[in-house]
Each structure stands twice: as C-alpha cells, then as structure tokens.
Amino acid sequence: MLWSERLRHTVIVSTGQKIETGNNVTEAAVNPGKGKQKKGIFARMMLFFRQVIGELKKVVTPTRSELVNYFFVVLGFVVVVIAIVTALDFVFGQGSILLFTRQVEQ
C-alpha cells in the first residue's frame, strides 16, 4: 500500500466516512462508538497505558552523530537568544537611566 493510500485510508477511518478503497474496513472503524458500552475508568487507564507503550516502542533513538548535531544546534540557538536578551536588557537599562535620572544644573 502506498503512503498516500495509507494516509487516505486513515483519514477515511478517522472521519467515519466509508469510501471504497479496496481494504477491509470494519464496521467499528466506520461507525466509532456505535453499539459500544462505555468502559470503566480502569479499563480506559489500561488502554491509555497500552497505547503509550505502543507509541514508545515506535521511538527511534538518534545516533551519536545526530545527537551531537542536535546538541550544537540547541546550544547555538540558546546563545543567540541570550545575546538578544542581554542586548535588550542593556538598551532598556541605559534608556531608563537616561530617562529617570536628573542632571543637576548649576
């Protein structure tokens, strides 16, 4: 199945519309919530944790070179933001000193 077909199928299932795609679409996927009883709090919690574990199994650990690259990108961004905040702090500090201090006239 091509990526575009898989994406189209996912959109169809999530919206509850049935369009012939050549795949077997179950009635529960087409009409979510129809004919179901509401699950208890513990069943919903267990379902949530099973889904979390399933998603965590899909996580791909970055390689060492990718990790080093990401580290330096984040470090560079933080340094740029620190420089901008420092410059703005200096400008507004000097502006407030000039604005709020009086020159003693003789």
XYZ file of all heavy atoms in Angstrom:
838
model
N 0.852 -1.174 0.000
C 0.000 0.000 0.000
C 0.899 1.238 0.000
O 1.823 1.336 0.784
C -0.883 -0.026 1.254
C -1.829 1.127 1.331
S -2.837 1.188 2.836
C -3.727 -0.316 2.754
N 0.630 2.138 -0.889
C 1.402 3.367 -0.966
C 1.101 4.261 0.217
O 0.062 4.142 0.862
C 1.062 4.120 -2.257
C 1.467 3.434 -3.555
C 0.921 4.216 -4.737
C 2.963 3.304 -3.651
N 2.037 5.176 0.508
C 1.861 6.094 1.635
C 0.598 6.934 1.465
O -0.154 7.145 2.394
C 3.081 6.989 1.777
C 2.881 8.072 2.778
C 2.702 9.392 2.537
C 2.795 7.922 4.192
N 2.521 10.068 3.691
C 2.567 9.189 4.738
C 2.871 6.857 5.067
C 2.435 9.412 6.086
C 2.735 7.079 6.422
C 2.523 8.343 6.914
N 0.354 7.423 0.248
C -0.828 8.259 0.022
C -2.109 7.460 0.237
O -3.084 7.975 0.771
C -0.805 8.849 -1.379
O -0.806 7.817 -2.351
N -2.120 6.187 -0.164
C -3.298 5.355 0.070
C -3.490 5.107 1.554
O -4.607 5.125 2.053
C -3.157 4.021 -0.664
C -3.225 4.146 -2.165
C -2.909 2.829 -2.841
O -2.561 1.857 -2.147
O -3.014 2.772 -4.077
N -2.402 4.843 2.266
C -2.494 4.601 3.699
C -2.994 5.857 4.416
O -3.841 5.789 5.294
C -1.112 4.216 4.236
C -1.179 3.435 5.503
C 0.168 2.994 5.975
N 0.989 2.450 4.897
C 2.292 2.363 4.942
N 2.950 2.780 5.988
N 2.970 1.861 3.946
N -2.498 7.026 4.011
C -2.938 8.282 4.608
C -4.412 8.516 4.313
O -5.173 8.883 5.194
C -2.091 9.439 4.072
C -2.401 10.816 4.619
C -2.135 10.832 6.119
C -1.555 11.857 3.935
N -4.814 8.266 3.081
C -6.208 8.447 2.704
C -7.099 7.505 3.502
O -8.143 7.888 3.991
C -6.366 8.187 1.209
C -7.736 8.452 0.710
C -7.765 8.368 -0.806
N -9.082 7.938 -1.196
C -9.361 6.928 -1.972
N -8.370 6.236 -2.493
N -10.579 6.596 -2.263
N -6.665 6.273 3.662
C -7.434 5.302 4.430
C -7.559 5.748 5.882
O -8.624 5.649 6.472
C -6.766 3.932 4.342
C -7.468 2.880 5.131
N -8.698 2.408 4.785
C -7.112 2.233 6.257
C -9.075 1.497 5.659
N -8.128 1.374 6.563
N -6.488 6.277 6.464
C -6.518 6.744 7.848
C -7.495 7.899 7.993
O -8.262 7.950 8.938
C -5.113 7.200 8.288
O -4.224 6.105 8.117
C -5.114 7.649 9.728
N -7.495 8.824 7.052
C -8.412 9.961 7.109
C -9.851 9.482 7.009
O -10.718 9.939 7.721
C -8.088 10.978 5.991
C -9.158 12.036 5.900
C -6.736 11.597 6.233
N -10.088 8.521 6.162
C -11.438 7.996 5.999
C -11.913 7.362 7.287
O -13.012 7.609 7.750
C -11.490 6.980 4.841
C -11.268 7.696 3.520
C -12.817 6.235 4.831
C -10.990 6.778 2.372
N -11.077 6.561 7.903
C -11.466 5.875 9.133
C -11.682 6.876 10.255
O -12.640 6.778 11.012
C -10.408 4.820 9.520
C -10.678 4.268 10.898
C -10.393 3.710 8.491
N -10.821 7.892 10.363
C -10.952 8.835 11.461
C -12.168 9.740 11.311
O -12.704 10.221 12.290
C -9.683 9.679 11.601
O -9.540 10.499 10.470
N -12.629 9.978 10.094
C -13.807 10.815 9.915
C -15.088 10.010 9.936
O -16.167 10.573 10.010
C -13.736 11.589 8.579
O -13.631 10.645 7.515
C -12.581 12.555 8.566
N -14.994 8.686 9.863
C -16.174 7.845 9.917
C -16.896 7.708 8.587
O -17.989 7.185 8.528
N -16.300 8.158 7.493
C -16.922 8.040 6.186
C -16.409 6.767 5.518
O -15.246 6.406 5.666
C -16.573 9.236 5.304
C -17.064 10.544 5.857
C -16.541 11.705 5.044
O -15.759 11.519 4.133
N -16.973 12.896 5.378
N -17.276 6.100 4.799
C -16.866 4.881 4.123
C -16.744 5.141 2.635
O -17.716 5.472 1.962
C -17.873 3.763 4.378
C -17.429 2.437 3.808
C -18.381 1.337 4.196
C -17.893 0.020 3.636
N -18.809 -1.067 3.975
N -15.532 5.026 2.135
C -15.262 5.154 0.708
C -14.533 3.880 0.309
O -13.649 3.415 1.023
C -14.401 6.395 0.404
C -15.167 7.654 0.802
C -14.005 6.443 -1.046
C -14.379 8.924 0.639
N -14.906 3.321 -0.815
C -14.304 2.065 -1.236
C -12.823 2.279 -1.550
O -12.471 3.014 -2.453
C -15.040 1.522 -2.470
C -16.482 1.174 -2.211
C -16.654 0.102 -1.148
O -15.813 -0.818 -1.082
O -17.617 0.193 -0.369
N -11.963 1.626 -0.772
C -10.532 1.731 -1.001
C -9.925 0.387 -1.347
O -8.738 0.289 -1.578
C -9.817 2.267 0.246
O -10.049 1.361 1.322
C -10.289 3.650 0.606
N -10.734 -0.653 -1.336
C -10.198 -1.975 -1.614
C -9.705 -2.662 -0.361
O -9.289 -3.801 -0.391
N -9.721 -1.984 0.761
C -9.281 -2.556 2.026
C -10.505 -2.956 2.839
O -11.585 -2.401 2.665
C -8.459 -1.545 2.832
C -7.226 -1.122 2.088
O -6.634 -1.907 1.367
N -6.849 0.125 2.251
N -10.327 -3.895 3.734
C -11.418 -4.292 4.605
C -11.520 -3.281 5.738
O -10.619 -3.155 6.539
C -11.169 -5.688 5.177
C -11.212 -6.739 4.099
O -11.877 -6.553 3.087
N -10.504 -7.823 4.297
N -12.624 -2.548 5.762
C -12.859 -1.565 6.802
C -13.931 -2.130 7.710
O -15.027 -2.453 7.252
C -13.322 -0.214 6.208
C -13.585 0.789 7.307
C -12.292 0.294 5.237
N -13.638 -2.284 8.976
C -14.611 -2.866 9.890
C -15.697 -1.860 10.218
O -15.513 -0.649 10.085
C -13.930 -3.297 11.205
O -13.407 -2.139 11.845
C -12.823 -4.289 10.951
N -16.828 -2.378 10.636
C -17.957 -1.516 10.997
C -17.603 -0.634 12.183
O -18.019 0.512 12.272
C -19.185 -2.374 11.321
C -20.450 -1.576 11.581
C -20.942 -0.814 10.358
O -20.687 -1.244 9.231
O -21.596 0.226 10.551
N -16.793 -1.154 13.119
C -16.410 -0.364 14.286
C -15.542 0.820 13.877
O -15.609 1.884 14.473
C -15.657 -1.231 15.289
N -14.739 0.638 12.832
C -13.898 1.746 12.376
C -14.721 2.785 11.625
O -14.438 3.970 11.690
C -12.773 1.227 11.489
N -15.755 2.338 10.921
C -16.579 3.262 10.157
C -17.515 4.028 11.078
O -17.719 5.219 10.922
C -17.373 2.504 9.070
C -18.351 3.434 8.373
C -16.414 1.902 8.067
N -18.103 3.353 12.046
C -19.025 3.982 12.986
C -18.462 3.870 14.398
O -18.867 2.990 15.162
C -20.407 3.316 12.931
C -21.063 3.514 11.597
O -20.973 4.583 11.026
N -21.715 2.482 11.088
N -17.508 4.722 14.751
C -16.919 4.600 16.077
C -17.940 4.915 17.160
O -18.716 5.851 17.048
C -15.778 5.626 16.063
C -16.141 6.586 14.992
C -16.968 5.827 13.990
N -17.959 4.097 18.204
C -18.837 4.343 19.329
C -20.216 3.752 19.171
O -21.009 3.762 20.095
N -20.538 3.219 18.004
C -21.877 2.677 17.789
C -21.933 1.251 18.344
O -21.141 0.410 17.961
C -22.220 2.663 16.301
C -23.637 2.234 16.017
C -23.931 2.329 14.544
C -25.371 1.934 14.271
N -25.655 1.977 12.847
N -22.868 0.997 19.260
C -23.038 -0.330 19.818
C -22.030 -0.668 20.900
O -21.886 -1.815 21.252
N -21.306 0.295 21.406
C -20.316 0.055 22.449
C -20.861 0.484 23.792
O -21.622 1.440 23.878
C -19.039 0.869 22.202
C -18.131 0.348 21.159
C -16.887 1.210 21.188
C -15.843 0.779 20.218
N -14.692 1.656 20.284
N -20.433 -0.206 24.822
C -20.715 0.258 26.169
C -19.525 1.076 26.624
O -18.391 0.826 26.224
C -20.906 -0.916 27.122
C -22.192 -1.671 26.914
C -22.333 -2.769 27.948
O -21.378 -3.097 28.628
N -23.525 -3.309 28.054
N -19.788 2.044 27.490
C -18.701 2.872 27.997
C -17.850 2.035 28.938
O -18.367 1.364 29.824
C -19.256 4.094 28.732
C -18.188 5.062 29.144
C -18.779 6.314 29.718
C -17.674 7.262 30.138
N -18.199 8.469 30.726
N -16.538 2.066 28.720
C -15.621 1.289 29.542
C -15.432 1.974 30.884
O -15.577 3.183 31.003
C -14.270 1.151 28.847
C -14.334 0.345 27.584
C -12.973 0.228 26.970
C -13.035 -0.561 25.677
N -11.720 -0.688 25.066
N -15.077 1.188 31.881
C -14.810 1.721 33.206
C -13.524 2.519 33.232
O -12.724 2.499 32.290
N -13.296 3.206 34.338
C -12.122 4.070 34.463
C -10.822 3.272 34.386
O -9.865 3.685 33.744
C -12.195 4.923 35.762
C -11.025 5.891 35.856
C -12.190 4.027 36.987
C -11.173 7.079 34.993
N -10.799 2.078 34.998
C -9.571 1.289 34.993
C -9.301 0.689 33.614
O -8.150 0.606 33.183
C -9.636 0.200 36.062
C -9.620 0.763 37.454
C -10.740 0.686 38.261
C -8.495 1.407 37.941
C -10.738 1.231 39.528
C -8.474 1.944 39.209
C -9.605 1.859 40.018
N -10.355 0.312 32.905
C -10.173 -0.203 31.546
C -9.645 0.891 30.629
O -8.784 0.643 29.781
C -11.495 -0.755 31.022
N -10.158 2.114 30.795
C -9.669 3.226 29.974
C -8.225 3.572 30.323
O -7.430 3.908 29.442
C -10.564 4.445 30.145
C -11.920 4.250 29.449
C -12.770 5.471 29.565
N -13.231 5.546 30.963
C -13.875 6.564 31.480
N -14.129 7.618 30.757
N -14.271 6.545 32.733
N -7.887 3.482 31.621
C -6.500 3.750 32.022
C -5.558 2.696 31.440
O -4.478 3.027 30.946
C -6.381 3.792 33.549
C -6.958 5.047 34.157
S -7.010 5.067 35.961
C -5.406 4.544 36.431
N -5.968 1.432 31.482
C -5.129 0.372 30.926
C -4.972 0.539 29.414
O -3.883 0.335 28.876
C -5.718 -1.005 31.252
C -5.592 -1.380 32.709
S -3.897 -1.275 33.333
C -3.088 -2.473 32.312
N -6.052 0.919 28.742
C -5.974 1.176 27.304
C -5.004 2.319 27.019
O -4.180 2.237 26.103
C -7.356 1.509 26.746
C -7.407 1.905 25.273
C -6.963 0.749 24.389
C -8.800 2.367 24.895
N -5.073 3.364 27.825
C -4.175 4.504 27.656
C -2.721 4.065 27.809
O -1.867 4.397 26.988
C -4.507 5.597 28.672
C -3.514 6.716 28.709
C -3.480 7.656 27.696
C -2.598 6.813 29.741
C -2.553 8.687 27.717
C -1.674 7.835 29.767
C -1.647 8.771 28.752
N -2.426 3.303 28.867
C -1.047 2.880 29.093
C -0.566 1.924 28.011
O 0.598 1.976 27.601
C -0.888 2.266 30.483
C -0.942 3.295 31.579
C -1.888 3.206 32.581
C -0.063 4.361 31.591
C -1.952 4.155 33.583
C -0.110 5.321 32.588
C -1.060 5.219 33.588
N -1.444 1.054 27.511
C -1.055 0.175 26.405
C -0.733 0.991 25.165
O 0.224 0.711 24.439
C -2.180 -0.815 26.099
C -2.142 -2.053 26.953
C -3.012 -3.135 26.355
N -4.377 -2.663 26.116
C -5.417 -2.961 26.869
N -5.270 -3.742 27.908
N -6.608 -2.487 26.585
N -1.511 2.041 24.910
C -1.250 2.888 23.746
C 0.042 3.683 23.924
O 0.793 3.872 22.968
C -2.430 3.827 23.508
C -3.660 3.121 22.995
C -4.856 4.043 22.885
O -4.866 5.144 23.434
N -5.891 3.596 22.184
N 0.308 4.145 25.157
C 1.558 4.870 25.416
C 2.747 3.958 25.171
O 3.729 4.347 24.520
C 1.582 5.426 26.860
C 2.967 5.886 27.245
C 0.583 6.559 27.001
N 2.686 2.734 25.670
C 3.784 1.793 25.469
C 3.953 1.481 23.989
O 5.080 1.415 23.479
C 3.539 0.512 26.301
C 3.692 0.835 27.782
C 4.493 -0.599 25.896
C 3.230 -0.260 28.710
N 2.838 1.328 23.276
C 2.914 1.088 21.837
C 3.577 2.235 21.098
O 4.365 2.022 20.171
N 3.266 3.469 21.501
C 3.896 4.629 20.850
C 5.370 4.730 21.216
O 6.193 5.107 20.390
C 3.168 5.916 21.234
C 1.785 6.051 20.632
C 1.794 6.099 19.118
O 2.704 6.720 18.537
O 0.890 5.500 18.518
N 5.710 4.413 22.457
C 7.117 4.487 22.864
C 7.964 3.442 22.153
O 9.166 3.647 21.960
C 7.243 4.328 24.384
C 6.787 5.527 25.203
C 6.845 5.211 26.687
C 7.629 6.746 24.888
N 7.375 2.334 21.757
C 8.120 1.323 21.003
C 8.468 1.817 19.604
O 9.389 1.310 18.981
C 7.311 0.036 20.906
C 7.261 -0.726 22.211
C 6.459 -2.000 22.074
C 6.406 -2.733 23.397
N 5.596 -3.960 23.322
N 7.735 2.810 19.109
C 7.997 3.365 17.778
C 9.117 4.400 17.777
O 9.588 4.795 16.721
C 6.729 4.030 17.230
C 5.579 3.085 17.006
C 4.373 3.867 16.520
C 3.134 3.019 16.456
N 1.959 3.822 16.061
N 9.529 4.854 18.961
C 10.543 5.904 19.058
C 11.887 5.366 18.582
O 12.297 4.273 18.951
C 10.661 6.420 20.514
C 11.820 7.383 20.658
C 9.364 7.076 20.934
N 12.560 6.140 17.752
C 13.861 5.767 17.235
C 14.918 6.595 17.955
O 14.854 7.819 17.967
C 13.950 6.017 15.714
C 15.321 5.668 15.190
C 12.872 5.245 14.998
N 15.880 5.915 18.578
C 16.954 6.606 19.286
C 17.920 7.194 18.265
O 18.333 6.499 17.338
C 17.703 5.618 20.192
O 16.765 4.974 21.036
C 18.744 6.324 21.044
N 18.293 8.479 18.417
C 19.214 9.081 17.450
C 20.618 8.491 17.593
O 21.019 8.051 18.667
C 19.205 10.564 17.815
C 18.744 10.612 19.222
C 17.857 9.434 19.433
N 21.351 8.521 16.488
C 22.734 8.059 16.521
C 23.590 9.088 17.250
O 23.145 10.209 17.530
C 23.277 7.863 15.098
O 23.274 9.126 14.430
C 22.430 6.865 14.326
N 24.811 8.722 17.558
C 25.697 9.630 18.281
C 25.950 10.906 17.483
O 25.937 12.006 18.034
C 27.010 8.925 18.612
C 27.952 9.771 19.425
C 29.181 8.969 19.836
N 30.118 9.753 20.581
C 30.063 9.963 21.883
N 29.070 9.447 22.577
N 30.975 10.692 22.488
N 26.161 10.780 16.181
C 26.430 11.974 15.367
C 25.195 12.880 15.299
O 25.324 14.106 15.330
C 26.879 11.576 13.969
O 25.851 10.883 13.297
N 23.999 12.291 15.199
C 22.783 13.101 15.205
C 22.604 13.813 16.545
O 22.232 14.987 16.588
C 21.556 12.225 14.946
C 21.443 11.708 13.539
C 20.297 10.738 13.367
O 19.882 10.091 14.354
O 19.816 10.621 12.221
N 22.894 13.087 17.627
C 22.758 13.673 18.953
C 23.712 14.846 19.152
O 23.329 15.887 19.687
C 23.006 12.595 20.015
C 22.601 12.915 21.431
C 21.104 13.171 21.508
C 22.981 11.773 22.350
N 24.951 14.702 18.698
C 25.929 15.791 18.801
C 25.473 16.971 17.950
O 25.549 18.130 18.386
C 27.330 15.297 18.381
C 28.303 16.451 18.212
C 27.861 14.291 19.394
N 24.959 16.686 16.760
C 24.483 17.751 15.878
C 23.318 18.501 16.532
O 23.292 19.732 16.547
C 24.058 17.151 14.541
C 23.712 18.213 13.533
O 24.202 19.330 13.595
N 22.840 17.867 12.607
N 22.344 17.773 17.078
C 21.204 18.408 17.740
C 21.660 19.237 18.938
O 21.139 20.325 19.188
C 20.198 17.359 18.219
C 19.547 16.561 17.110
C 19.051 15.294 17.348
C 19.425 17.065 15.821
C 18.446 14.540 16.357
C 18.824 16.323 14.819
C 18.336 15.069 15.092
O 17.746 14.346 14.104
N 22.646 18.719 19.681
C 23.156 19.438 20.850
C 23.715 20.793 20.446
O 23.411 21.817 21.069
C 24.229 18.607 21.554
C 24.962 19.357 22.622
C 24.365 19.585 23.850
C 26.231 19.847 22.396
C 25.027 20.282 24.839
C 26.905 20.543 23.375
C 26.295 20.766 24.611
N 24.528 20.810 19.385
C 25.137 22.071 18.982
C 24.116 23.032 18.370
O 24.243 24.243 18.526
C 26.310 21.831 18.031
C 27.536 21.346 18.753
C 28.079 20.104 18.466
C 28.129 22.119 19.739
C 29.195 19.658 19.137
C 29.248 21.682 20.418
C 29.781 20.435 20.114
N 23.107 22.515 17.711
C 22.044 23.377 17.184
C 21.307 24.060 18.337
O 21.074 25.269 18.327
C 21.062 22.571 16.297
C 19.809 23.366 16.013
C 21.747 22.168 14.999
N 20.938 23.282 19.359
C 20.238 23.846 20.516
C 21.144 24.819 21.261
O 20.705 25.905 21.674
C 19.738 22.718 21.450
C 19.240 23.280 22.765
C 18.654 21.922 20.759
N 22.403 24.457 21.447
C 23.346 25.334 22.139
C 23.513 26.656 21.390
O 23.499 27.735 21.999
C 24.700 24.644 22.297
C 25.735 25.367 23.133
C 25.263 25.461 24.579
C 27.071 24.660 23.048
N 23.632 26.595 20.070
C 23.748 27.821 19.271
C 22.503 28.685 19.386
O 22.602 29.915 19.526
N 21.324 28.073 19.350
C 20.083 28.829 19.485
C 20.003 29.502 20.843
O 19.622 30.675 20.947
C 18.887 27.892 19.284
C 17.565 28.574 19.446
C 17.067 29.395 18.456
C 16.830 28.409 20.600
C 15.853 30.039 18.604
C 15.612 29.047 20.767
C 15.126 29.862 19.763
N 20.383 28.783 21.900
C 20.339 29.362 23.245
C 21.310 30.528 23.356
O 20.980 31.565 23.956
C 20.634 28.275 24.307
C 20.886 28.879 25.670
C 19.487 27.282 24.373
N 22.491 30.421 22.781
C 23.464 31.513 22.821
C 22.926 32.739 22.087
O 23.065 33.875 22.573
C 24.820 31.054 22.229
C 25.744 32.225 21.961
C 25.478 30.052 23.158
N 22.272 32.534 20.949
C 21.702 33.659 20.200
C 20.600 34.334 21.014
O 20.545 35.574 21.103
C 21.167 33.188 18.822
C 20.304 34.249 18.173
C 22.320 32.800 17.918
N 19.724 33.557 21.647
C 18.651 34.139 22.454
C 19.228 34.884 23.656
O 18.756 35.977 24.000
C 17.653 33.044 22.893
C 16.682 33.572 23.927
C 16.904 32.510 21.687
N 20.265 34.321 24.288
C 20.912 35.013 25.411
C 21.492 36.344 24.948
O 21.376 37.365 25.644
C 21.994 34.119 26.043
C 21.334 32.989 26.820
C 22.921 34.924 26.945
C 22.315 31.951 27.347
N 22.123 36.368 23.777
C 22.695 37.617 23.260
C 21.609 38.658 22.993
O 21.787 39.840 23.324
C 23.486 37.328 21.982
N 20.488 38.225 22.446
C 19.393 39.162 22.164
C 18.827 39.727 23.466
O 18.615 40.948 23.590
C 18.293 38.476 21.330
C 18.810 38.187 19.921
C 17.028 39.321 21.269
C 17.893 37.308 19.093
N 18.595 38.858 24.454
C 18.042 39.312 25.734
C 19.026 40.239 26.441
O 18.631 41.259 27.020
C 17.661 38.107 26.621
C 17.336 38.537 28.033
C 16.490 37.364 26.006
N 20.311 39.915 26.389
C 21.321 40.768 27.011
C 21.359 42.144 26.353
O 21.430 43.175 27.043
C 22.708 40.098 26.920
O 22.645 38.832 27.562
C 23.778 40.940 27.579
N 21.310 42.182 25.031
C 21.331 43.463 24.320
C 20.095 44.293 24.651
O 20.206 45.510 24.920
C 21.424 43.227 22.811
N 18.923 43.657 24.665
C 17.705 44.391 25.005
C 17.737 44.893 26.447
O 17.317 46.025 26.732
C 16.474 43.511 24.782
C 16.114 43.231 23.324
C 14.981 42.213 23.248
C 15.736 44.512 22.609
N 18.247 44.080 27.356
C 18.362 44.493 28.753
C 19.289 45.703 28.889
O 18.978 46.658 29.604
C 18.886 43.332 29.596
C 19.030 43.701 31.057
O 18.045 44.200 31.642
O 20.125 43.484 31.621
N 20.402 45.680 28.175
C 21.346 46.797 28.235
C 20.715 48.071 27.671
O 20.813 49.143 28.278
C 22.620 46.449 27.461
C 23.618 47.560 27.454
C 24.384 47.832 28.573
C 23.785 48.347 26.327
C 25.302 48.866 28.571
C 24.695 49.384 26.312
C 25.459 49.645 27.437
N 20.054 47.945 26.516
C 19.448 49.120 25.876
C 18.364 49.719 26.764
O 18.324 50.936 26.997
C 18.892 48.757 24.484
C 17.996 49.854 23.935
C 20.026 48.459 23.522
N 17.452 48.882 27.277
C 16.377 49.404 28.119
C 16.903 49.910 29.462
O 16.372 50.880 30.017
C 15.293 48.346 28.335
C 14.433 48.141 27.122
C 14.396 46.911 26.491
C 13.678 49.174 26.609
C 13.605 46.710 25.376
C 12.878 48.991 25.490
C 12.849 47.751 24.863
N 17.963 49.279 29.983
C 18.566 49.768 31.232
C 19.177 51.141 31.053
O 18.966 52.035 31.883
N 19.925 51.322 29.980
C 20.521 52.631 29.720
C 19.447 53.676 29.436
O 19.561 54.830 29.855
C 21.501 52.540 28.543
C 22.739 51.731 28.833
C 23.543 52.299 29.979
O 23.752 53.508 30.090
N 23.985 51.417 30.858
N 18.403 53.260 28.718
C 17.310 54.188 28.434
C 16.598 54.627 29.702
O 16.245 55.804 29.859
N 16.380 53.704 30.631
C 15.711 54.081 31.878
C 16.606 54.952 32.751
O 16.118 55.860 33.429
C 15.268 52.832 32.649
O 16.388 52.086 33.057
N 17.915 54.721 32.715
C 18.832 55.583 33.470
C 18.786 56.998 32.904
O 18.699 57.978 33.654
C 20.267 55.011 33.439
C 20.338 53.762 34.308
C 21.275 56.058 33.894
C 21.653 53.018 34.208
N 18.819 57.134 31.588
C 18.765 58.462 30.974
C 17.409 59.128 31.213
O 17.334 60.341 31.393
C 19.028 58.366 29.470
C 20.453 58.014 29.068
C 20.536 57.797 27.560
C 21.423 59.100 29.501
N 16.352 58.358 31.210
C 15.017 58.921 31.339
C 14.693 59.326 32.776
O 14.094 60.365 33.008
C 13.978 57.896 30.854
C 12.534 58.343 30.827
C 12.361 59.498 29.831
C 11.648 57.160 30.454
N 15.121 58.555 33.755
C 14.699 58.771 35.125
C 15.728 59.445 36.035
O 15.439 59.673 37.204
C 14.246 57.451 35.772
C 13.030 56.883 35.103
C 13.095 55.649 34.459
C 11.834 57.558 35.087
C 11.991 55.102 33.843
C 10.710 57.033 34.479
C 10.797 55.799 33.848
N 16.892 59.707 35.539
C 17.867 60.439 36.370
C 17.888 61.900 35.954
O 17.742 62.236 34.793
C 19.276 59.833 36.239
O 19.662 59.848 34.881
C 19.326 58.434 36.783
N 18.043 62.722 36.951
C 18.083 64.169 36.694
C 19.526 64.634 36.609
O 20.381 64.179 37.345
C 17.452 64.932 37.825
C 15.972 64.893 37.865
C 15.594 65.711 39.039
N 14.227 66.082 39.003
C 13.672 66.858 39.903
N 14.412 67.332 40.896
N 12.422 67.166 39.836
N 19.718 65.547 35.742
C 21.027 66.212 35.694
C 20.928 67.413 36.606
O 20.025 68.233 36.484
C 21.343 66.646 34.254
C 21.457 65.513 33.270
C 22.689 64.672 33.542
O 23.663 65.142 34.123
N 22.629 63.420 33.124
N 21.849 67.506 37.530
C 21.855 68.647 38.458
C 22.416 69.854 37.705
O 23.529 69.819 37.202
C 22.700 68.338 39.697
C 22.727 69.564 40.628
C 22.170 67.120 40.412
N 21.601 70.913 37.662
C 22.047 72.111 36.937
C 22.663 73.079 37.934
O 22.165 73.265 39.041
C 20.864 72.771 36.249
C 20.299 71.895 35.154
C 19.150 72.592 34.470
O 19.082 73.831 34.496
O 18.335 71.886 33.878
N 23.730 73.702 37.536
C 24.401 74.662 38.426
C 24.306 76.056 37.906
O 24.184 76.443 36.853
C 25.864 74.293 38.580
C 26.004 72.997 39.315
C 27.479 72.692 39.556
O 28.360 73.413 39.145
N 27.704 71.621 40.233
